[in-house]
Amino acid sequence: MSGQSLLVPGELSPTRSVPGNIRRPEYVGKPAPTPYTGPEVQNPETIEAMRVAGRIAAQAMAEAAKIIAPGVTTDELDAVAHTYMCDHGAYPSTLGYRGFPKSLCTSVNEVICHGIPDSTVLRDGDIVNLDVTAYIGGVHGDNNATYPVGDVDDESRLLVERTREALDRAIRAVRPGRQLNVIGRVIESYAKRFGYGVVRDFTGHGINSSFHSGLIVPHYDSPHATTVMRPGMTFTIEPMLTLGTYEYDMWDDGWTVVTKDRKRTAQFEHTLVVTDSGAEILTLP
């Protein structure tokens, strides 16, 4: 693995503004969202709205990914995604969620998730995860992917490729009538082939008009994830695989989660709806 120095916090830029005509999620300006009490199975109108939100989130992530290169700051990535979402009438869901200060998460190298975009400069050989969620039409669409920065070592490249494959396998395992724990079983069994850690304390989640509905989708084989999948259920799958332990530390910012052994980690995510025969990905550009 690359011998680059470990990540340290950078400086935050001022909070980006969102045009006043763009609808805000109810949690903006509050310390926490109102708990979701609605159904996990959504009606066709909500699912169609989520397709719109998902496409915008996916395209915003793709636009930000176009500028990934050595010398680019994570704050510059945030600016691109923020502008794209606002230009398409969507609110960046992370901005103001429980006080999160930016419009996407940028998790570099040993950062498992929830990295805050700042003055950190990407270096040749890094890997960086972009996690983008868009809110429009009263619903959210959430996706993420891990990208190489310049030339990465083989160990990092394989980690990224295999984490994407873990997500793809998990999506193929979605079927109505199956319990949610089949998702984690598929991911964990695949990751174990390569000796990867599977992060346990950060999971997929229900999503709809709520950013996080309360439904939990573990990425390991959890005996507690016995909820039966039904057509119309909407949730994310977002495996986080590590080159070492799945245990973690959190920075003082209360968001940035890093592997305890500081080895690298990768993540991929889609928002899905369960169909009569499997799953439809709602976060496609």
Side-chain angles (χ1 to χ4, degrees):
M1 189 184 73
S2 170
Q4 290 176 324
S5 59
L6 298 178
L7 205 65
V8 296
E11 295 183 5
L12 289 179
S13 64
T15 301
R16 293 190 163 87
S17 63
V18 176
N21 64 318
I22 292 178
R23 179 179 174 184
R24 271 73 169 154
E26 59 82 23
Y27 53 74
V28 174
K30 297 164 54 178
T34 302
Y36 179 71
T37 57
E40 297 298 345
V41 172
Q42 306 304 312
N43 61 38
E45 292 76 21
T46 299
I47 292 167
E48 178 55 34
M50 291 181 67
R51 289 190 185 98
V52 174
R55 282 196 295 268
I56 292 173
Q59 193 60 42
M61 184 174 72
E63 290 299 310
K66 288 179 181 177
I67 71 163
I68 291 174
V72 172
T73 67
T74 55
D75 189 65
E76 290 175 273
L77 302 174
D78 182 77
V80 171
H82 177 93
T83 299
Y84 186 91
M85 285 185 273
C86 292
D87 285 351
H88 289 79
Y91 185 91
S93 300
T94 61
L95 184 61
Y97 179 77
R98 296 183 182 270
F100 192 84
K102 292 296 174 181
S103 298
L104 81 165
C105 301
T106 50
S107 300
V108 179
N109 295 345
E110 69 270 18
V111 180
I112 295 172
C113 58
H114 304 159
I116 300 174
D118 59 18
S119 62
T120 296
V121 177
L122 297 176
R123 302 162 298 180
D124 187 62
D126 284 344
I127 57 174
V128 57
N129 179 274
L130 307 184
D131 192 342
V132 182
T133 310
Y135 178 79
I136 188 172
V139 297
H140 301 268
D142 185 4
N143 68 163
N144 77 56
T146 302
Y147 300 88
V149 182
D151 294 321
V152 303
D153 59 83
D154 286 344
E155 188 176 38
S156 298
R157 177 183 57 80
L158 287 170
L159 174 68
V160 170
E161 291 176 0
R162 290 165 176 167
T163 306
R164 182 191 294 273
E165 175 65 17
L167 172 60
D168 291 345
R169 288 173 180 241
I171 293 171
R172 292 196 295 270
V174 172
R175 291 286 188 283
R178 290 180 174 177
Q179 294 182 342
L180 278 174
N181 58 13
V182 70
I183 293 169
R185 189 175 308 132
V186 166
I187 292 168
E188 188 171 40
S189 63
Y190 179 70
K192 280 184 173 179
R193 292 190 200 176
F194 312 104
Y196 295 155
V198 181
V199 173
R200 300 167 81 91
D201 289 349
F202 300 90
T203 68
H205 53 88
I207 184 170
N208 36 67
S209 60
S210 172
F211 195 170
H212 299 86
S213 72
L215 180 69
I216 294 173
V217 184
H219 302 121
Y220 65 100
D221 189 3
S222 169
H224 306 294
T226 56
T227 299
V228 174
M229 291 182 269
R230 293 175 289 161
M233 286 181 67
T234 50
F235 53 82
T236 72
I237 304 176
E238 45 189 299
M240 291 151 264
L241 305 186
T242 71
L243 290 175
T245 183
Y246 61 76
E247 296 181 342
Y248 67 91
D249 294 319
M250 186 176 288
W251 283 3
D252 291 342
D253 61 24
W255 284 105
T256 306
V257 179
V258 296
T259 53
K260 188 170 282 291
D261 58 13
R262 303 303 190 264
K263 291 185 177 180
R264 289 189 171 188
T265 175
Q267 182 184 16
F268 284 85
E269 174 188 22
H270 276 305
T271 295
L272 314 170
V273 59
V274 180
T275 67
D276 290 335
S277 58
E280 176 192 347
I281 299 173
L282 299 178
T283 39
L284 292 175

